[in-house]
């Protein structure tokens, strides 16, 4: 009889476990295989921060941002990483996407340590390597800063070389270009290699009346999922914040992540940690007035080619606290 009770009890336990697993929603994140966002997502999974919020995080690595967008738009992923200006453009086009802040980290325009350049005017006649294309947001902001403060047409007075971040990194560190604008983590490695920042994009943004505390990068989810399963979306936002809190203070966590960070030496590792921490947004709602000012500036510089029909900030772009 005891044996039968044991079997029945085990069967019941397995049944409840199966039901519990079936009831746990899975959130599929499509992100760059080697992107810095993986450090945060890995932290969520390692510490069970997803389970603590009642969901399971499934991270799917993709080769590029466009592949992530295709997966998201095709329903193969529930969450991707992009900038909120892209989300605003999609909302203006009738797509119900919502932005959850991830990082405010931005790069700057960097030059070799021995460069004689002291401000943007000294770049006249030089080649500038730019990660991305002519509509890169950092490049646009730096052009606006040059026009305002130096009466300089930065694009016309320099030669631009556009390329993928690793290529621009190589061109900058080898001296093939006189200056470079790259994603923040490549900028951190460039700093570790002895390059210096001529002008930080956050400094230029503040000078232009923008708020450098406005997070540019974030997670993107569908508004439909937010309405139908708000606990899942808010649970992910809470797990993301909890991971940030760990990464902001726990050096041992970074030691655990180091094998995944592609840091060639201690200087690069320390620069990457410092850069990530500097990019952690403060908790709380996004200042939509500040975001509107940035969108207006970006539209004046990049127009419909950059922002489509988003001439003003669409309502509902951001997941705000308490949404």
């Amino acid at each position: 009889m005891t044996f039968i009770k044991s079997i029945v009890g085990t069967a019941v336990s397995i049944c409840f476990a199966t039901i519990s697993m079936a009831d746990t929603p899975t959130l599929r994140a499509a992100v760059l295989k080697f992107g810095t966002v993986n450090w945060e997502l890995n932290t969520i999974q390692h510490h069970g921060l997803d389970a603590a919020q009642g969901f399971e995080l499934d991270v799917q690595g993709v080769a590029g941002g466009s592949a992530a967008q295709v997966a998201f738009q095709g329903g193969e992923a529930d969450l991707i990483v992009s900038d909120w200006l892209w989300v605003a453009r999609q909302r203006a086009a009738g797509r119900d996407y919502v932005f959850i802040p991830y990082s405010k980290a931005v790069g700057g325009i960097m030059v070799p340590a021995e460069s004689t350049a002291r401000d943007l005017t000294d770049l006249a006649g030089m080649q500038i390597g730019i990660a991305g294309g002519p509509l890169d947001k950092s490049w646009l902001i730096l052009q606006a800063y040059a026009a305002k403060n130096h009466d300089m047409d930065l694009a016309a007075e320099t030669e631009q070389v556009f390329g993928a971040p690793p290529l621009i990194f190589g061109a900058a560190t080898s001296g093939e270009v006189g200056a470079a604008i790259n994603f923040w983590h490549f900028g951190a490695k460039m700093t570790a290699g002895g390059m210096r920042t001529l002008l930080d994009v956050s400094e230029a943004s503040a000078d232009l009346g923008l708020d450098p505390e406005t997070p540019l990068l974030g997670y993107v989810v569908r508004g439909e999922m937010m309405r139908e399963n708000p606990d899942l979306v808010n649970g992910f936002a809470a797990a993301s914040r909890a991971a940030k809190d760990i990464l902001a203070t726990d050096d041992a966590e970074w030691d655990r992540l180091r094998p995944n960070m592609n840091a060639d030496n201690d200087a690069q590792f320390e620069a990457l940690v410092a850069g990530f921490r500097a990019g952690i947004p403060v908790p709380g709602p996004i200042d939509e007035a500040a975001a509107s000012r940035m969108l207006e500036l970006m539209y004046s510089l990049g127009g419909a080619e950059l922002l489509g029909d988003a001439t003003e900030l669409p309502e509902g772009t951001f997941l705000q606290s308490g949404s």
Side-chain angles (χ1 to χ4, degrees):
M1 181 65 69
T2 301
F3 177 71
I4 293 175
K5 286 182 179 179
S6 176
I7 293 176
V8 172
T10 301
V12 170
S13 297
I14 292 173
C15 179
F16 276 120
T18 302
I19 292 172
S20 177
M21 289 178 65
D23 288 344
T24 301
T26 297
L27 193 65
R28 302 165 299 167
V31 297
L32 295 178
K33 287 181 181 179
F34 304 108
T36 59
V37 69
N38 287 284
W39 308 341
E40 178 168 303
L41 299 180
N42 180 292
T43 301
I44 290 174
Q45 292 176 317
H46 179 77
H47 292 278
L49 303 176
D50 51 348
Q53 294 293 334
F55 70 95
E56 179 181 357
L57 179 62
D58 175 23
V59 180
Q60 307 166 4
V62 296
S66 58
Q69 291 174 5
V70 168
F72 181 69
Q73 292 170 329
E76 298 300 316
D78 306 308
L79 176 149
I80 61 172
V81 172
S82 188
D83 61 74
W84 67 261
L85 292 167
W86 181 80
V87 175
R89 175 173 184 155
Q90 300 306 311
R91 288 190 71 83
R95 299 180 182 91
D96 187 12
Y97 299 163
V98 181
F99 177 93
I100 302 171
Y102 159 60
S103 176
K104 63 178 183 179
V106 291
I109 188 160
M110 304 189 71
V111 295
E114 66 275 11
S115 173
T116 58
R118 291 294 176 262
D119 61 41
L120 295 183
T121 61
D122 295 325
L123 301 182
M126 288 189 187
Q127 279 191 332
I128 301 177
I130 302 170
L135 295 177
D136 175 77
K137 283 82 174 177
S138 295
W139 172 233
L140 293 176
I141 288 173
L142 291 169
Q143 288 181 72
Y145 177 93
K148 174 179 178 289
N149 291 279
H150 302 297
D151 194 24
M152 179 187 188
D153 187 335
L154 190 60
E157 297 183 41
T158 60
E159 180 184 348
Q160 296 87 53
V161 178
F162 300 102
L167 295 178
I168 299 303
F169 174 77
T173 53
S174 66
E176 292 177 44
V177 294
I181 302 167
N182 213 328
F183 296 169
W184 78 263
H185 51 295
F186 282 97
K189 290 185 175 183
M190 289 156 68
T191 299
M195 295 188 71
R196 62 181 172 85
T197 301
L198 184 66
L199 179 63
D200 195 276
V201 172
S202 62
E203 179 185 342
S205 298
D207 181 84
L208 293 168
L210 305 180
D211 183 0
E213 294 298 316
T214 302
L216 182 60
L217 289 177
Y219 300 103
V220 185
V221 298
R222 295 180 187 82
E224 177 184 11
M225 183 171 70
M226 191 173 72
R227 290 188 298 275
E228 294 181 355
N229 198 343
D231 289 343
L232 175 59
V233 176
N234 288 313
F236 174 77
S240 170
R241 175 52 60 180
K244 286 178 171 63
D245 291 342
I246 292 172
L247 293 170
T249 58
D250 190 345
D251 292 339
E253 186 68 10
W254 287 104
D255 290 335
R256 184 186 69 81
L257 289 169
R258 183 166 180 166
N260 303 322
M261 292 173 62
N262 195 28
D264 294 334
N265 50 55
D266 288 346
Q268 285 191 5
F269 171 70
E270 291 166 5
L272 288 169
V273 173
F276 186 96
R277 285 174 166 171
I280 295 176
V282 297
I286 292 177
D287 184 342
E288 295 194 358
S292 293
R293 291 194 298 273
M294 182 175 184
L295 186 143
E296 290 169 5
L297 175 64
M298 289 294 101
Y299 196 90
S300 72
L301 298 169
E305 188 177 359
L306 174 64
L307 284 164
D309 295 328
T311 57
E312 59 184 25
L313 182 68
E315 184 179 354
T317 297
F318 303 113
L319 177 69
Q320 300 287 30
S321 300
S323 295

